[in-house]
Amino acid sequence: MSGPPAQLPARAGKDVAKYLLDDEEAVLAVRRHWAVLIEPTVKFVVAFAAGGWLLLFDARNRVTSTAGMVLLAVALVYYALRVAEWWMRHFIVSRRRVLLTSGVIVRTVTLLPLRRITDLTWKETLLGQLLGYGTFRFESAGTGNALAEITYLPHADQLYRQVSGLLFATDLGGDDEGNPEPPTPSPPTPSPPTPSPATPPPPGRGTEPDPRPPSPGGGR
């Protein structure tokens, strides 16, 4: 079985070893940029602060204390799940396909063969340029592309060049998973017909003299 490249993170290496084929090797595997946690962190801080305020507002009031404890617990669970989802999700590219693994309790693997990608768009917002992340948009033949957009990819300029190089390589020919097409066999050259052996002439019909003696009274 083909093992993951040594430079991959440990979690990404497990996904590569589990979801790629035996003869397949990952070209790159990255986790989304940490900026994806900015929004969950802000929500967590606000909810945690509100829960702490309710818990300490009136310690003798069971209603506010219970509401504060519930809010604190919900905020902690929410933030833990978001961090775990960020840690478990990976963008993986091989020479055959693009994969996105996600999920904490239920793992989901979404893939798109490179041969079906018709266009690749790379987008960077102002904040993305400052922090170093971007968005990939894939357009593919057919409908229902589950990998139409992947956000918060780190070092998106380098990833764009790597993925573009793989896409251009598939233009040289191959099947839907990037395997090179087998060469078309040339038609066999017909061999010249084998001459059949000559049939010997029947006795007495060839050029040899007739061995029979002349009959008496011959000449009349």
Side-chain angles (χ1 to χ4, degrees):
M1 184 173 183
S2 61
Q7 68 271 17
L8 297 182
R11 177 66 251 182
K14 293 180 180 179
D15 287 343
V16 168
K18 185 176 182 179
Y19 300 119
L20 293 189
L21 300 178
D22 292 343
D23 58 345
E24 203 173 359
E25 183 179 353
V27 177
L28 61 94
V30 296
R31 186 180 290 115
R32 293 204 296 174
H33 196 274
W34 58 264
V36 72
L37 296 175
I38 293 179
E39 181 180 348
T41 300
V42 172
K43 293 180 179 180
F44 166 73
V45 170
V46 172
F48 194 83
W53 180 80
L54 288 174
L55 182 63
L56 300 176
F57 176 72
D58 188 357
R60 293 172 296 179
N61 190 331
R62 282 190 170 184
V63 176
T64 57
S65 299
T66 303
M69 294 182 62
V70 170
L71 190 56
L72 288 175
V74 170
L76 288 172
V77 171
Y78 163 79
Y79 192 64
L81 287 176
R82 295 303 298 267
V83 173
E85 170 64 20
W86 167 76
W87 183 260
M88 298 289 288
R89 175 175 291 195
H90 287 92
F91 175 64
I92 303 172
V93 180
S94 73
R95 298 188 183 279
R96 296 182 180 181
R97 65 187 108 184
V98 175
L99 298 92
L100 184 65
T101 62
S102 59
V104 179
I105 301 175
V106 178
R107 296 291 287 162
T108 302
V109 181
T110 309
L111 65 90
L112 177 65
L114 291 179
R115 288 284 294 173
R116 296 189 180 180
I117 298 177
T118 58
D119 192 18
L120 172 61
T121 303
W122 162 40
K123 176 184 176 182
E124 272 188 332
T125 62
L126 179 59
L127 184 60
Q129 296 178 39
L130 295 175
L131 298 181
Y133 68 86
T135 298
F136 276 10
R137 287 196 177 98
F138 293 102
E139 294 184 13
S140 62
T143 58
N145 178 16
L147 288 177
E149 183 174 284
I150 304 177
T151 58
Y152 293 98
L153 287 178
H155 311 293
D157 53 344
Q158 300 177 15
L159 297 183
Y160 179 80
R161 288 193 293 269
Q162 289 179 281
V163 176
S164 297
L166 295 174
L167 294 178
F168 289 141
T170 59
D171 292 339
L172 300 178
D175 58 14
D176 287 343
E177 289 190 347
N179 297 316
E181 299 245 357
T184 305
S186 57
T189 304
S191 57
T194 304
S196 58
T199 305
R205 299 298 180 183
T207 57
E208 298 290 333
D210 191 349
R212 293 178 298 176
S215 59
R220 298 186 78 176

